[in-house]
Amino acid sequence: MSTLKIAIQKSGRLNEDSIQILKDCGISINNGIDQLKAEASNFPLEVLYLRNSDIPQYLIDGVVDLAIVGDNLLVEKGKGIEVVQKLGFSKCKVSVAVPKTFEYNSIQDLAGLRVATSYPNTVNEYFASFGLTVDIHQISGSVEIAPNIGLADAIVDIVSSGSTLFKNNLKEVEVILKSEAVLAVSPKVSPEIQKHIDTLKFRIQSVLRARNSKYILMNVPNDKIDEIGKILPVLRSLTVLPLAQEGWSSVHSVIDKDTFWDVIDQLKEAGAEGILVCPIEKMVL
């Protein structure tokens, strides 16, 4: 049987979340400390732990079939690589930042200035879209220090919380793109490998649906069930079970965690009582 090869970041912000989502998919990975390659014991899958910046080329060359990688890296180095699933973690921005003392009014203020970045292609395309050119200084790591040591007038780098910019007396002035971890596929996968990809994608989607949903149970007067049903975003229809107390039922459904509190308030106003909310481990549709 052919083995699906998936690349994940060797270390850094994506590594732990990537391993966790595979484990949540029921895949047991026999990996040890400092291993560069590990096999799953219960799924035809092999994990390659690679340097983040190398992953797009491995996909292009067909050395790996899949990768969990930041969308921003594909924009920079992996044009044409197909994204089959957004994963919802490791969210960040690729932003333009300048010293706090820089009087910034518009992107035009940066025309011709020195910009330090690890994303030269992204930067060139962004400024070209405004008809501008900048003097790019490509560096790896510690981009934020460039203005402080006189290497650059501005930077373009990943921004998560913004604390690193603050520590280096920088301010964000433009957001080039928003990024998150994605599941990307090589253009050179075989039909047999594609079947494994489809299976893994199905499992990942079930995990992601569960992460974004909560199971909700409540006691509802029978004459309020129709009104409650209009509030709840049900999968197919409400589950309604009669209670021992006449005229009341237990209503079960699934609720989106992002709209959770708004919906809870509406349910209480509509007459729901004893509302219980539970996590969902997997959600298969």
Side-chain angles (χ1 to χ4, degrees):
M1 178 184 289
S2 59
T3 300
L4 173 63
K5 294 181 179 181
I6 183 169
I8 66 173
Q9 189 177 21
K10 182 180 178 182
S11 60
R13 63 192 182 89
L14 272 174
N15 176 269
E16 291 185 8
D17 287 336
S18 299
I19 293 172
Q20 187 60 53
I21 198 167
L22 293 176
K23 288 182 178 179
D24 289 346
C25 289
I27 297 172
S28 179
I29 302 167
N30 302 315
N31 63 304
I33 298 175
D34 295 330
Q35 271 189 278
L36 298 180
K37 186 169 66 172
E39 292 186 359
S41 60
N42 58 351
F43 192 86
L45 180 140
E46 184 177 69
V47 178
L48 278 70
Y49 299 98
L50 303 175
R51 191 170 66 173
N52 197 43
S53 59
D54 292 338
I55 290 176
Q57 193 62 50
Y58 276 71
L59 284 167
I60 292 169
D61 293 342
V63 176
V64 296
D65 307 302
L66 276 178
I68 297 176
V69 65
D71 198 18
N72 59 294
L73 194 59
L74 296 182
V75 171
E76 175 65 23
K77 292 187 171 184
K79 289 291 179 66
I81 294 176
E82 182 185 3
V83 171
V84 295
Q85 182 66 53
K86 293 188 175 184
L87 300 176
F89 57 82
S90 292
K91 293 186 178 182
C92 64
K93 299 173 287 184
V94 176
S95 299
V96 182
V98 298
K100 290 180 180 178
T101 55
F102 191 105
E103 293 187 10
Y104 185 85
N105 297 301
S106 74
I107 194 70
Q108 305 291 331
D109 293 337
L110 298 178
L113 298 186
R114 299 167 301 164
V115 177
T117 187
S118 300
Y119 301 93
N121 296 328
T122 303
V123 172
N124 270 327
E125 289 185 13
Y126 179 71
F127 281 93
S129 69
F130 292 94
L132 304 176
T133 58
V134 292
D135 181 13
I136 293 178
H137 289 246
Q138 184 176 353
I139 56 179
S140 300
S142 301
V143 175
E144 299 87 357
I145 199 174
N148 292 330
I149 61 175
L151 179 64
D153 305 298
I155 69 165
V156 172
D157 200 19
I158 288 175
V159 176
S160 296
S161 65
S163 60
T164 303
L165 294 183
F166 180 81
K167 290 175 184 177
N168 287 276
N169 292 312
L170 300 173
K171 60 183 179 183
E172 181 184 70
V173 293
E174 298 285 344
V175 176
I176 294 179
L177 61 91
K178 294 183 179 180
S179 176
E180 64 182 274
V182 298
L183 189 68
V185 62
S186 167
K188 297 184 178 182
V189 296
S190 66
E192 187 174 4
I193 289 295
Q194 185 61 51
K195 291 180 182 178
H196 295 326
I197 291 174
D198 292 341
T199 300
L200 180 59
K201 180 183 173 183
F202 174 79
R203 292 191 186 189
I204 287 175
Q205 289 175 338
S206 298
V207 169
L208 294 178
R209 277 193 292 264
R211 288 182 179 181
N212 293 325
S213 304
K214 299 290 184 183
Y215 192 75
I216 187 168
L217 308 83
M218 70 205 79
N219 298 328
V220 178
N222 289 344
D223 61 357
K224 297 290 185 178
I225 291 176
D226 287 343
E227 185 177 350
I228 293 292
K230 294 176 182 177
I231 297 170
L232 287 169
V234 296
L235 296 176
R236 187 178 295 274
S237 64
L238 295 176
T239 299
V240 180
L241 303 173
L243 294 178
Q245 182 177 347
E246 188 175 347
W248 284 77
S249 294
S250 176
V251 175
H252 300 207
S253 188
V254 172
I255 186 171
D256 190 288
K257 71 174 186 178
D258 292 334
T259 59
F260 172 79
W261 287 112
D262 289 338
V263 173
I264 291 295
D265 290 340
Q266 294 178 53
L267 292 172
K268 289 176 63 179
E269 290 178 6
E273 298 180 4
I275 301 173
L276 300 179
V277 181
C278 307
I280 302 173
E281 184 175 340
K282 304 289 186 297
M283 191 166 159
V284 181
L285 298 181

